[in-house]
């Protein structure tokens, strides 16, 4: 234990209590506790009052003291990890005599509690997992080396309740064996555990499967934001993968207030940076010790930029400027021709894409350019004028190299996958005349897949954004509405209550994917949540602004839905956008915080009659079947009478 407790007294004095040679220790009822393996608790060894003043610890042992003077303790700015709400099981089965399985109905990160009465020495074993086998038994193969098993030995002291404190698991199902008698349904409860970040936003619409997708995204975020943004809470991994975080950070911001959470974790990212300037694949840099791959290490630039955009605070840029600059320099030094051919390390590519092979060198070069583009914007925002000019020039150079190396005269891009077009368009790597051509090719590649996506971790976060911004919101809606594999709704129709790691984690024709890497709580593919908030409900910012000081409310109304609503508690106050359509009218309700302006884009033909609260509206301009109206703070209700 390494601890400092700072106490400030009412009289103005202070005291520091720190771990030192004066401490004592002993073994108690917790025989072992491990995040992956679980906890073993023997209630017969409990010592009542051990943590209260006056307890006699004379028989406890002196502690061994090691010098840690070179490792400073720092306060954690983020919300603590807490045991939050309890979840009651929905059902109980008995797949084998004496073995009971409780279904919480929701995949969570946390632990299970058990309540019982029995003789001393009775040993109850809880095993936890996300799925069931075809025969109804607990499926644990995808946990790999993690035992995810908690053991409780009763003291025989009447009714006893056990809930482990020093472990957590990813699970929906609790297998109970050794229980004295037949456990009642309420003998077991799930307990969600995660960083106690405040809810910041919500989304709902007329399609209940899309609402379930939003719930799955939120549960995936909650279950993987435990001090660091882990990739998964169940198997023997649970690492802060940078690639996962960078594709999901914008979605995370829309769901929770993650300003403090990512302030803390970005310090982990910089702390894990190598002497050579390379960021790591995971932070803290514990298990995967390699330097970072493209789209993974770039998180070190993308995350500060995204946090600044959302919260309008440039301190995260200043704190990590040297680290970001070193990362870009590391790439450039190894690739003087500006194509990211060298130092791509493990090179994950468009991780877990479906039937599409995006060239990895192209992915790296695209992200190299994007890094330079974001660095230029952050330099300008923080008064680094010379650096802004340098990075703008670097972006222009890399973008030109990208076009020369990978873009063909007919506008197709090497690899010809959905992801190559997403990256080129999202990162601004094409000239104006090539952008509509590339957008058409993207739509064609979706048509080639019978209207389905084929993107992995890298492409999926940009796919619907790119389609919408380049005139194809109907295609983005088609991807959202797909019910067949691969799609977001497919896993929901198979019972998913969180986002799966793989599109094919379980399919009707093949069953479970390879258990070597098959998490059923993995938020990355849920990055579509940012598009749902920004484009379906319409909550966004005017380009070039930060911190939601200037809103752009621009919902993409589609016949697939009759209404959609989004809320977001921005740094400047709550924002709300709700649209609802009928056969002959459209209503758009907008709430704008105090001291904030908004431009509202109202879908309407130039001949439609647009009113606000029975009054005619001053329309600034008509653009692409849309009326643009400028408003200040307040609640606004616009109606479009369609003729």
């Amino acid at each position: 234990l390494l601890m400092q407790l700072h106490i400030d007294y009412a009289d103005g004095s202070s005291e520091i209590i720190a771990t030192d040679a004066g401490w004592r220790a002993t073994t108690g009822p917790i025989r072992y506790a491990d995040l992956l393996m679980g906890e073993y608790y023997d209630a017969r060894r409990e010592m009542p009052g051990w943590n209260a003043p006056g307890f006699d610890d004379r028989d406890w042992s002196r502690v061994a003291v090691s010098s840690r003077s070179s490792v400073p303790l720092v306060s954690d700015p983020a919300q603590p990890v807490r045991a939050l709400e309890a979840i009651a099981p929905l059902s109980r089965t008995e797949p084998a005599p004496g073995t009971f399985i409780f279904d919480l109905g929701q995949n969570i990160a946390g632990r299970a509690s058990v309540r019982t009465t029995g003789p001393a020495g009775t040993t109850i074993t809880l095993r936890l997992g996300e799925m069931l086998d075809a025969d109804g038994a607990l499926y644990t193969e995808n946990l790999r080396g993690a035992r995810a098993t908690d053991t409780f030995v009763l003291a025989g002291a009447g009714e006893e309740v056990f809930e482990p404190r020093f472990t957590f698991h990813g699970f929906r199902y609790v297998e109970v064996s050794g229980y004295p008698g037949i456990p009642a349904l309420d003998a077991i409860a799930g307990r969600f555990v995660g960083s106690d970040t405040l809810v910041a936003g919500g989304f709902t619409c007329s399609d209940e499967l899309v609402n379930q997708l939003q719930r799955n995204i939120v549960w995936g975020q909650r279950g993987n934001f435990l001090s660091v943004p882990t990739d998964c809470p169940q198997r023997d991994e649970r690492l802060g993968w940078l690639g996962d975080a960078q594709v999901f950070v914008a979605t995370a911001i829309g769901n929770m207030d993650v300003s403090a959470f990512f302030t803390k974790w970005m310090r982990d990212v910089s702390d894990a940076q190598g002497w050579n300037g390379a960021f790591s694949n995971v932070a803290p840099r514990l298990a995967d010790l390699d330097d970072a791959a493209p789209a993974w290490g770039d998180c070190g630039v993308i995350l500060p930029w995204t946090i600044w955009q959302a919260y309008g605070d440039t301190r995260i840029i200043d704190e990590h400027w040297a680290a970001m600059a070193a990362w870009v320099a590391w790439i450039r030094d190894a690739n003087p021709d500006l194509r990211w051919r060298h130092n791509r390390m493990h090179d994950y590519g468009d991780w877990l894409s479906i039937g599409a092979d995006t060239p990895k060198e192209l992915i790296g070069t695209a992200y190299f350019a994007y890094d330079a583009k974001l660095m230029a914007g952050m330099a300008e925002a923080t008064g680094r004028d010379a650096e802004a000019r340098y990075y703008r020039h670097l972006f222009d150079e890399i973008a030109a190299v990208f076009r020369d190396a990978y873009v063909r005269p007919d506008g197709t891009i090497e690899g010809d996958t959905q992801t190559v077009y997403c990256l080129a368009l999202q990162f601004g790597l094409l000239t104006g005349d090539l952008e509509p051509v590339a957008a058409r090719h993207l739509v064609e590649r979706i048509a080639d897949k019978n209207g389905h996506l084929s993107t992995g971790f890298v492409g999926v976060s940009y796919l619907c954004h790119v389609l919408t911004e380049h005139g194809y919101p109907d295609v983005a809606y088609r991807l959202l509405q797909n019910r067949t594999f691969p799609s977001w709704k497919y896993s929901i129709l198979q019972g998913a209550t969180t986002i799966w790691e793989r599109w094919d984690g379980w399919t009707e024709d093949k069953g479970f994917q390879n258990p070597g890497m098959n998490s059923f709580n993995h938020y990355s593919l849920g990055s579509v949540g940012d598009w749902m908030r920004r484009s379906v409900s319409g909550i966004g910012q005017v380009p070039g602004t930060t911190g939601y000081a200037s809103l752009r409310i621009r919902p993409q109304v589609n016949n697939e839905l009759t209404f959609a609503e989004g809320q977001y508690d921005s740094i400047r106050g709550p924002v709300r956008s709700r649209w609802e359509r009928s056969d002959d009218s459209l209503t758009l309700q907008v709430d704008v915080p105090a001291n904030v302006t908004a431009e509202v884009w109202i879908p309407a033909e130039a001949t439609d009659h647009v009113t606000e609260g029975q009054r005619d509206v001053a329309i600034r301009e008509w653009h692409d079947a849309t009326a643009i109206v400028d408003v200040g703070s307040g609640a606004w209700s616009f109606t479009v009478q369609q003729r």
Side-chain angles (χ1 to χ4, degrees):
L1 175 68
L2 185 63
M3 186 203 78
Q4 284 182 198
L5 175 64
H6 293 240
I7 305 173
D8 294 325
Y9 293 103
D11 64 2
S13 62
S14 62
E15 181 182 5
I16 296 177
I17 300 174
T19 45
D20 57 25
W23 285 54
R24 292 176 178 269
T26 191
T27 55
I30 300 176
R31 308 304 293 148
Y32 64 77
D34 183 87
L35 293 182
L36 304 180
M37 302 307 172
E39 184 170 310
Y40 191 112
Y41 190 93
D42 188 343
R44 297 171 299 181
R45 299 173 61 91
E46 289 179 344
M47 297 170 287
W50 73 268
N51 55 351
F55 181 78
D56 184 359
D57 64 354
R58 73 183 69 182
D59 293 330
W60 289 25
S61 303
R62 293 286 183 182
V63 296
V65 178
S66 300
S67 174
R68 295 291 181 190
S69 59
S70 62
V71 183
L73 280 174
V74 295
S75 60
D76 187 342
Q79 296 89 345
V81 172
R82 290 191 171 106
L84 300 170
E85 72 261 33
I87 301 175
L90 300 180
S91 63
R92 184 202 67 206
T93 60
E94 189 177 5
T99 298
F100 303 91
I101 292 182
F102 291 76
D103 178 7
L104 301 182
Q106 175 63 55
N107 198 8
I108 67 169
R111 50 226 189 194
S113 66
V114 57
R115 178 174 53 83
T116 189
T117 301
T122 301
T123 301
I124 300 174
T125 302
L126 308 178
R127 292 202 310 147
L128 303 103
E130 298 179 293
M131 302 286 276
L132 300 179
D133 281 332
D135 60 1
L138 190 71
Y139 177 77
T140 60
E141 285 185 85
N142 69 319
L143 304 183
R144 303 191 306 206
R147 289 178 57 195
T149 301
D150 298 321
T151 304
F152 179 40
V153 181
L154 275 62
E159 184 174 87
E160 301 178 62
V161 178
F162 165 65
E163 180 181 318
R165 296 180 59 194
F166 296 100
T167 189
F168 75 94
H169 313 289
F171 68 101
R172 171 176 172 170
Y173 300 95
V174 184
E175 180 196 85
V176 182
S177 58
Y179 193 94
I182 299 176
L185 187 61
D186 63 357
I188 297 294
R191 175 78 72 175
F192 168 73
V193 173
S195 288
D196 195 9
T197 51
L198 297 176
V199 174
F203 173 87
T204 187
C205 68
S206 57
D207 186 329
E208 185 51 35
L209 284 179
V210 176
N211 293 337
Q212 184 62 49
L213 171 60
Q214 171 65 14
R215 289 191 289 270
N216 289 7
I217 292 169
V218 172
W219 273 108
Q221 177 175 338
R222 296 181 73 203
N224 281 290
F225 278 32
L226 288 96
S227 181
V228 301
T230 60
D231 58 327
C232 58
Q234 76 294 101
R235 68 183 179 223
D236 57 348
E237 189 168 358
R238 313 185 196 186
L239 298 171
W241 284 92
L242 273 68
D244 303 47
Q246 72 93 352
V247 300
F248 190 77
V249 58
T251 297
I253 288 169
N255 294 329
M256 304 285 178
D257 181 355
V258 293
S259 53
F261 179 87
F262 277 122
T263 294
K264 181 268 181 193
W265 187 65
M266 189 60 206
R267 291 171 181 168
D268 293 337
V269 172
S270 288
D271 184 57
Q273 188 174 31
W275 62 268
N276 55 0
F279 286 125
S280 55
N281 285 315
V282 300
R285 197 166 184 161
L286 296 175
D288 187 309
L289 300 180
D290 293 337
D291 291 335
W296 269 249
D298 304 292
C299 176
V301 173
I302 294 171
L303 192 141
W305 182 86
T306 308
I307 294 296
W308 162 56
Q309 291 287 302
Y311 300 110
D313 190 343
T314 58
R315 286 178 295 178
I316 194 169
I317 299 173
D318 290 330
E319 181 176 352
H320 301 286
W321 180 261
M324 295 187 291
W327 163 255
V328 176
W330 177 72
I331 301 171
R332 180 164 193 176
D333 289 347
N335 300 278
D337 66 352
L338 304 184
R339 293 170 65 177
W340 195 347
R341 307 181 200 218
H342 311 292
N343 283 1
R344 296 208 310 270
M345 315 313 291
H346 191 286
D347 210 352
Y348 300 102
D350 189 18
W351 189 243
L352 299 182
S353 59
I354 291 289
D357 188 13
T358 299
K360 294 179 178 179
E361 179 191 301
L362 180 150
I363 292 174
T365 304
Y367 269 97
F368 181 23
Y370 194 45
D371 288 342
K373 184 177 185 178
L374 300 188
M375 291 291 285
M378 289 187 284
E380 186 172 357
T382 54
R384 295 174 167 90
D385 296 338
E387 290 93 333
R389 290 191 294 272
Y390 167 77
Y391 286 112
R392 278 196 296 270
H393 179 67
L394 178 60
F395 168 76
D396 290 340
E397 286 187 306
I398 303 171
V401 167
F402 181 94
R403 293 189 295 271
D404 290 343
Y406 310 117
V407 181
R408 305 182 182 110
D410 63 355
T412 58
I413 301 176
E414 184 177 329
D416 203 24
T417 65
Q418 295 173 20
T419 292
V420 300
Y421 297 107
C422 286
L423 297 182
L425 290 165
Q426 181 70 21
F427 297 169
L429 303 178
L430 304 177
T431 56
D433 59 321
L434 284 176
E435 287 187 350
V437 178
R440 287 197 299 272
H441 286 310
L442 171 59
V443 173
E444 290 166 359
R445 298 297 77 76
I446 294 171
D448 292 344
K449 299 292 184 180
N450 194 27
H452 288 73
L453 51 74
S454 63
T455 48
F457 281 23
V458 170
V460 71
S461 62
Y462 307 123
L463 180 58
C464 289
H465 283 307
V466 166
L467 288 167
T468 301
E469 291 164 7
H470 290 275
Y472 299 97
D474 55 323
V475 180
Y477 265 100
R478 165 73 187 276
L479 296 176
L480 180 70
Q481 294 292 347
N482 279 340
R483 300 164 69 97
T484 51
F485 172 82
S487 67
W488 288 286
K489 284 187 175 181
Y490 182 79
S491 65
I492 295 170
L493 293 171
Q494 314 314 314
T497 61
T498 44
I499 299 297
W500 292 356
E501 179 177 19
R502 319 177 68 119
W503 298 113
D504 57 352
W506 187 92
T507 58
E508 294 168 293
D509 57 334
K510 295 181 180 179
F512 288 112
Q513 246 286 1
N514 187 320
M517 194 187 70
N518 197 20
S519 160
F520 294 97
N521 190 354
H522 217 99
Y523 56 71
S524 302
L525 298 180
S527 55
V528 68
D530 183 52
W531 175 79
M532 290 160 57
R533 175 175 65 95
R534 286 170 49 191
S535 293
V536 180
S537 68
I539 298 175
Q541 303 188 69
V542 173
T545 66
T546 63
Y548 287 84
S550 185
L551 298 174
R552 172 175 284 180
I553 307 297
R554 190 181 184 182
Q556 299 292 330
V557 176
N558 188 275
N559 290 335
E560 297 287 347
L561 303 176
T562 57
F563 80 88
E565 179 175 349
Q567 308 90 32
Y568 177 57
D569 289 339
S570 77
I571 196 68
R572 284 180 166 80
V575 182
R576 172 176 171 264
S577 173
R578 174 187 171 90
W579 60 264
E580 187 168 0
R581 61 176 185 82
S582 64
D583 291 339
D584 59 358
S585 67
L586 171 72
T587 300
L588 174 59
Q589 297 174 324
V590 178
D591 292 348
V592 180
N595 303 313
V596 171
T597 60
E599 56 175 46
V600 183
W601 294 50
I602 307 167
E605 299 291 343
T607 57
D608 292 341
H609 188 205
V610 182
T611 59
E612 195 286 318
Q614 308 298 321
R615 298 180 298 273
D616 288 338
V617 174
I619 297 172
R620 189 224 302 168
E621 65 178 289
W622 292 91
H623 175 74
D624 193 21
T626 303
I628 304 176
V629 177
D630 294 321
V631 299
S633 60
W636 305 86
S637 181
F638 301 95
T639 301
V640 181
Q641 296 295 334
Q642 298 172 340
R643 299 175 183 176

